[in-house]
Amino acid sequence: AGGTLSKNIFSWYKDDALVSTKTGDSTFSFSTPGNYSVEVKNSIAQKLILYSITTANPQDSLAMVDLYNSTNGPGWLNNTNWLSPKPLTTWFGITQRRGKITDLKLVQNNLSGTIPVSIGNLIHTGTIYLRNNKLTGSIPSSIGNLFSLLNLDLSYNQLNGTIPLTFNNIPNFGVLTLSYNQLTGSIPNNFNSSNLSALELDHNQ
């Protein structure tokens, strides 16, 4: 990208804690065992960030297995590398950083069935887009455990039941889109005091 090694900045993490920052072709040597990963930036290509491939968080991996099995994964339009031994970063629709899933985007991918309760284990995930599928059943209340969640789009499905009261627990909710489902009941009270910038509930009951 026109840069040079001297303009590289390497940020080394142990688990999620920054432990060292190196520039150029400096070497990082760790002194204690653990799960290490690196992010690389360059002052020339300022919008490009490279991430090392790290072993996926087990609870994230298991949640994705549950999602695949409960939404007819073999029938998806695109299920590239799902349930394969390849790194989670290569599974279609998943973005991962330092071993944690940060984005799950399976829009219009022929998912049918129910959203598993274990989706509430993706505690580092900021974006979940599952719109335009054939999802049925209720929205798991466990989604209220996703304290990093910023954007949730479950529109254009066949979801029923109520909006979980646990959604009030998500501190930085930005956009919630539940349009074109079969939801009933009332809107959680605390939505009025949340950080929501957009709430779409049209075409429900």
Side-chain angles (χ1 to χ4, degrees):
T4 63
L5 277 177
S6 63
K7 297 184 181 298
N8 284 348
I9 302 172
F10 298 83
S11 299
W12 284 93
Y13 293 83
K14 180 182 178 183
D15 297 318
D16 288 323
L18 180 66
V19 293
S20 181
T21 300
K22 300 288 185 178
T23 57
D25 57 356
S26 302
T27 300
F28 169 66
S29 299
F30 59 87
S31 57
T32 57
N35 296 315
Y36 288 87
S37 59
V38 65
E39 296 180 5
V40 188
K41 298 180 181 180
N42 187 285
S43 59
I44 300 298
Q46 295 185 13
K47 294 186 178 181
L48 174 66
I49 304 176
L50 304 180
Y51 302 97
S52 60
I53 295 177
T54 55
T55 302
N57 183 320
Q59 70 176 16
D60 286 11
S61 298
L62 293 174
M64 293 301 90
V65 171
D66 287 347
L67 179 66
Y68 185 88
N69 289 333
S70 66
T71 60
N72 188 30
W76 293 0
L77 297 180
N78 190 336
N79 58 11
T80 301
N81 290 337
W82 276 73
L83 301 197
S84 77
K86 294 185 177 181
L88 211 64
T89 50
T90 69
W91 293 20
F92 174 75
I94 290 178
T95 301
Q96 179 185 323
R97 183 179 303 174
R98 296 200 294 274
K100 313 295 194 308
I101 293 177
T102 58
D103 298 284
L104 175 62
K105 299 179 180 180
L106 295 171
V107 175
Q108 202 168 348
N109 201 40
N110 202 41
L111 278 67
S112 60
T114 59
I115 302 172
V117 172
S118 58
I119 199 168
N121 293 334
L122 302 178
I123 58 174
H124 299 278
T125 302
T127 298
I128 297 177
Y129 290 161
L130 299 178
R131 69 175 179 270
N132 284 94
N133 283 293
K134 302 173 183 177
L135 297 172
T136 57
S138 59
I139 300 173
S141 61
S142 60
I143 290 180
N145 298 332
L146 305 184
F147 296 125
S148 298
L149 192 62
L150 301 174
N151 304 300
L152 176 64
D153 189 346
L154 302 177
S155 59
Y156 291 90
N157 281 289
Q158 301 164 31
L159 299 169
N160 56 36
T162 61
I163 301 173
L165 294 176
T166 55
F167 277 17
N168 287 326
N169 300 333
I170 302 174
N172 297 310
F173 231 156
V175 178
L176 174 60
T177 308
L178 301 175
S179 304
Y180 289 90
N181 280 290
Q182 300 169 21
L183 302 174
T184 58
S186 55
I187 301 171
N189 293 332
N190 290 346
F191 273 1
N192 292 331
S193 58
S194 73
N195 293 318
L196 279 175
S197 60
L199 174 62
E200 300 181 11
L201 299 174
D202 56 290
H203 292 85
N204 277 287
Q205 300 177 34

